[in-house]
Amino acid sequence: MDSDEAPQPIKGVVIITLPPPDNPSLGKTITAFTFSNAPQSQTHHQQQNHQNNHPQRAPLPPANPPSQLSFSISGAFLVTPRKLLGFLGISLFALALYSSVSSQPLRESRRSEDDHGRTSFIFPLYPKSGTPQINVKLKLGRLVGIDKGDMVSPIEDARESHKKFFASKAKVDSTSVLPVRGNIYPDGLYYTYILVGSPPKRYFLDMDTGSDLTWIQCDAPCTSCAKGPNGLYKPTRGNIVPSKDFLCMEVNRNQEAGYCESCQQCDYEIQYADKSSSMGVLARDELHLMMANGSWTNLNVAFGCAYDQQGLLLNTLAKTDGILALSRAKVSLPSQLASKGIINNVVGHCLTADAGGGYMFLGDDIVPQWGMSWVPMLNSPSIDSYHTEIVRMNYGSRLLKLGVTDRRAGRVVFDSGSSFTYFTQQAYSDLVASLEEVNGLGLIQDTSDPTLPVCWRAKFPIRSVMDVQHFFKTLTLQFGSKWWIVSTKFQIPPESYLIINNKGNVCLGILDGSKVHDGSTIILGDVSMRGQLVVYDNVNQKIGWARSDCIRSRRSKSLHFV
């Protein structure tokens, strides 16, 4: 054979490029090059064909140069099967080595029974001492069983319907609108749902503008938890917030135990006005929110991992998994979202006049530009609830005394965590005395209901409040000025303070608040905020309201549970 026809020696190089640790979705790239002593034009032609076959697979230069394998791809396919098997063996070994290095599982001290074999970390629980923080939290405390028809689809369906938000890169709107369900009687609460964790899991939370810390019942393990509609949240080691965290200091700022430098976790305890309590540790996990424009955003937020609940609070947990805190505190959900630049610190809710629900929102995009009545918030470092001053209150044209002796104006707190409205003792006594005029008009007082002490029965069946509302008058709360014309008024019609109980009687949904909070503050609960769009503007320090059917917000899509 002539020298110009002699076979040229061939050398091969295989480069295996692994994806960066922070983005394993790029996948692995295998690139093969062959070299010979052929003329330059032939070599160039071979490389050109290789690039044309894989125009988008050219790997970026790796941070660490890969090892070069002196193995001929051409020889493996053209010479003997032994070399082919050797090449496959080397490739499989490389893949196995990469998998063992890049997927080290987090080993926890306890394996849970959760889906996908997720583990939970059991951490030490330290006893609390000192005075717990007191929040205004007033619940009916008497609940019926869970209505299966009122619940939503299984969580597997929720996961399926939300798969696409992981890949969503849509521009994030600045408001999140959440659907609300609930009623005043017999459940005594309004709740929404949030999606937490990865993969996201659904939790029903009691919407509460009077609470500072959002918390979810969790398996840490749980000391005392009610059987709610969804499974317990299962924390891992990485979810637990250390005691040195800024939000931990915020949670414990009103507790005598205060900051604990030696603690491995952030403990908290909350005692509510009805003597219920919740104890747990602070955790941090991903919260997934749908924005008003339909896009999704997810971010890490801190919340309570509640492993010990006591008192009447356990009854409300038959339909909820915890509490969604919406106060002005820095640890509340709207404050955390605002600190991350997701929303402006504005919260609002709209509860339908009849049983059913409504909606709530985080952010200011759907706040009406006109038609709202506004009053300034009372700004105090020690008050995180939504307070304002009231100067006058009337039942019809009759003045109700506020019972304020040490100041000219009374105080009102808007609290969606309270089922009922609470008046000061003087105002409540004046109101009950004024309502005596309905006796003899076809209504007879009935005191057989221990929860609602002021009730009336009629000689005809009462199907709804509308059947008897003409016997009652509108309550009016005046703010800003005692002059009727220039004052700002919050009006409570009869359908917003009357309730039909299980005996078919019409009852007063306003109670004596002399032993609630400080005894001198009027608490507007859910019963009196139905049919109103109520907005808490923490940016401009004001509270606003406007009449609404609360079916849907003006700018959001139709609202529904998962």
Side-chain angles (χ1 to χ4, degrees):
M1 184 179 294
D2 295 336
S3 60
D4 55 350
E5 297 178 355
Q8 300 296 328
I10 300 177
K11 297 181 179 180
V13 176
V14 177
I15 299 177
I16 301 176
T17 304
L18 304 180
D22 58 346
N23 192 4
S25 62
L26 294 177
K28 296 175 282 294
T29 304
I30 301 177
T31 308
F33 295 92
T34 60
F35 303 93
S36 68
N37 293 330
Q40 182 177 0
S41 60
Q42 182 179 357
T43 304
H44 175 75
H45 178 69
Q46 292 175 352
Q47 294 178 354
Q48 181 71 25
N49 289 338
H50 177 78
Q51 294 174 357
N52 290 338
N53 291 336
H54 305 282
Q56 298 179 354
R57 296 294 294 174
L60 297 174
N64 298 321
S67 58
Q68 297 182 355
L69 304 178
S70 298
F71 181 76
S72 173
I73 301 295
S74 301
F77 286 94
L78 300 179
V79 183
T80 63
R82 179 178 299 176
K83 292 184 177 181
L84 174 59
L85 294 175
F87 170 72
L88 293 177
I90 294 175
S91 299
L92 292 175
F93 174 77
L95 292 176
L97 179 62
Y98 169 73
S99 299
S100 65
V101 172
S102 62
S103 61
Q104 292 292 336
L106 176 63
R107 291 180 173 85
E108 307 290 356
S109 61
R110 172 177 177 262
R111 178 163 297 279
S112 71
E113 298 177 356
D114 193 21
D115 297 337
H116 309 294
R118 187 178 179 185
T119 57
S120 294
F121 171 65
I122 301 179
F123 43 86
L125 306 180
Y126 299 98
K128 293 287 292 184
S129 61
T131 303
Q133 180 178 350
I134 302 298
N135 288 339
V136 177
K137 183 68 178 179
L138 306 165
K139 286 298 174 187
L140 179 61
R142 189 175 65 182
L143 300 168
V144 298
I146 296 179
D147 180 6
K148 298 300 182 182
D150 189 46
M151 305 314 293
V152 301
S153 56
I155 189 63
E156 288 76 16
D157 296 339
R159 290 174 183 164
E160 187 67 25
S161 65
H162 295 308
K163 278 183 179 179
K164 60 184 180 181
F165 73 67
F166 284 109
S168 174
K169 300 297 182 182
K171 182 179 182 297
V172 174
D173 201 352
S174 58
T175 294
S176 178
V177 184
L178 304 173
V180 171
R181 279 186 177 177
N183 54 67
I184 298 299
Y185 193 92
D187 295 337
L189 79 162
Y190 287 88
Y191 60 96
T192 185
Y193 75 90
I194 61 174
L195 300 172
V196 176
S198 181
K201 292 190 176 182
R202 177 196 60 200
Y203 299 99
F204 291 170
L205 299 183
D206 184 355
M207 180 186 68
D208 189 358
T209 58
S211 285
D212 299 341
L213 178 65
T214 297
W215 57 262
I216 303 173
Q217 289 197 120
C218 78
D219 185 11
C222 185
T223 301
S224 176
C225 291
K227 183 174 177 55
N230 300 296
L232 299 178
Y233 172 76
K234 297 182 182 295
T236 59
R237 184 189 301 272
N239 295 129
I240 306 305
V241 174
S243 61
K244 296 181 180 180
D245 192 277
F246 164 74
L247 290 179
C248 180
M249 302 179 189
E250 181 67 20
V251 168
N252 290 290
R253 65 187 174 92
N254 291 333
Q255 302 190 29
E256 291 183 2
Y259 174 67
C260 173
E261 184 176 1
S262 61
C263 294
Q264 299 295 318
Q265 63 206 30
C266 179
D267 296 277
Y268 72 88
E269 182 178 1
I270 302 173
Q271 183 174 340
Y272 298 98
D274 62 359
K275 308 305 180 183
S276 297
S277 64
S278 176
M279 181 184 295
V281 294
L282 205 61
R284 185 176 276 113
D285 208 337
E286 278 192 336
L287 170 68
H288 308 270
L289 285 177
M290 174 177 277
M291 311 311 282
N293 66 353
S295 65
W296 285 90
T297 184
N298 59 290
L299 68 161
N300 285 330
V301 297
F303 56 92
C305 167
Y307 57 77
D308 187 0
Q309 281 64 249
Q310 301 293 334
L312 295 176
L313 186 61
L314 288 169
N315 294 336
T316 67
L317 294 171
K319 282 200 171 183
T320 61
D321 303 296
I323 289 177
L324 181 64
L326 302 173
S327 76
R328 294 189 290 173
K330 294 180 181 179
V331 73
S332 72
L333 180 59
S335 295
Q336 289 191 59
L337 296 180
S339 68
K340 297 176 182 293
I342 302 299
I343 64 168
N344 286 327
N345 198 345
V346 176
V347 184
H349 57 73
C350 203
L351 307 179
T352 56
D354 56 349
Y359 63 90
M360 63 159 286
F361 56 90
L362 303 168
D364 61 351
D365 280 350
I366 66 174
V367 176
Q369 298 300 316
W370 56 85
M372 296 285 294
S373 299
W374 295 98
V375 294
M377 290 182 189
L378 289 179
N379 195 5
S380 172
S382 61
I383 299 177
D384 290 323
S385 299
Y386 296 108
H387 283 72
T388 188
E389 285 190 339
I390 180 174
V391 295
R392 187 183 179 98
M393 183 161 56
N394 287 74
Y395 173 75
S397 59
R398 185 173 302 178
L399 178 67
L400 303 180
K401 297 179 182 179
L402 297 177
V404 179
T405 58
D406 58 342
R407 54 181 181 270
R408 297 176 58 187
R411 290 186 177 181
V412 175
V413 57
F414 290 71
D415 183 12
S416 67
S418 173
S419 305
F420 300 128
T421 290
Y422 291 80
F423 281 1
T424 62
Q425 186 176 32
Q426 182 66 61
Y428 179 75
S429 298
D430 288 354
L431 175 61
V432 172
S434 300
L435 291 173
E436 289 181 357
E437 66 184 23
V438 304
N439 296 329
L441 297 179
L443 298 179
I444 302 173
Q445 193 159 355
D446 186 342
T447 59
S448 60
D449 191 331
T451 304
L452 301 170
V454 181
C455 297
W456 299 267
R457 55 185 172 85
K459 296 179 180 180
F460 54 89
I462 302 176
R463 295 179 297 272
S464 71
V465 173
M466 300 302 177
D467 295 336
V468 294
Q469 65 173 349
H470 59 281
F471 294 130
F472 300 87
K473 299 176 182 178
T474 297
L475 280 164
T476 303
L477 280 62
Q478 284 183 232
F479 303 91
S481 173
K482 291 185 178 181
W483 293 95
W484 182 268
I485 298 178
V486 297
S487 64
T488 302
K489 291 172 282 292
F490 186 96
Q491 293 189 323
I492 308 175
E495 60 269 24
S496 293
Y497 65 79
L498 296 175
I499 299 170
I500 305 298
N501 69 0
N502 58 359
K503 295 184 178 182
N505 296 335
V506 59
C507 301
L508 179 63
I510 299 174
L511 302 178
D512 181 3
S514 58
K515 296 182 180 180
V516 175
H517 203 3
D518 57 6
S520 61
T521 300
I522 295 172
I523 299 172
L524 282 182
D526 293 334
V527 64
S528 298
M529 292 191 286
R530 292 175 298 171
Q532 298 272 8
L533 170 64
V534 183
V535 179
Y536 311 91
D537 187 343
N538 293 302
V539 177
N540 298 301
Q541 295 292 298
K542 60 183 182 179
I543 304 171
W545 57 83
R547 296 295 299 177
S548 173
D549 60 9
C550 300
I551 301 300
R552 58 179 291 177
S553 64
R554 298 180 182 180
R555 291 187 51 194
S556 67
K557 301 178 181 179
S558 58
L559 299 171
H560 54 82
F561 269 65
V562 178

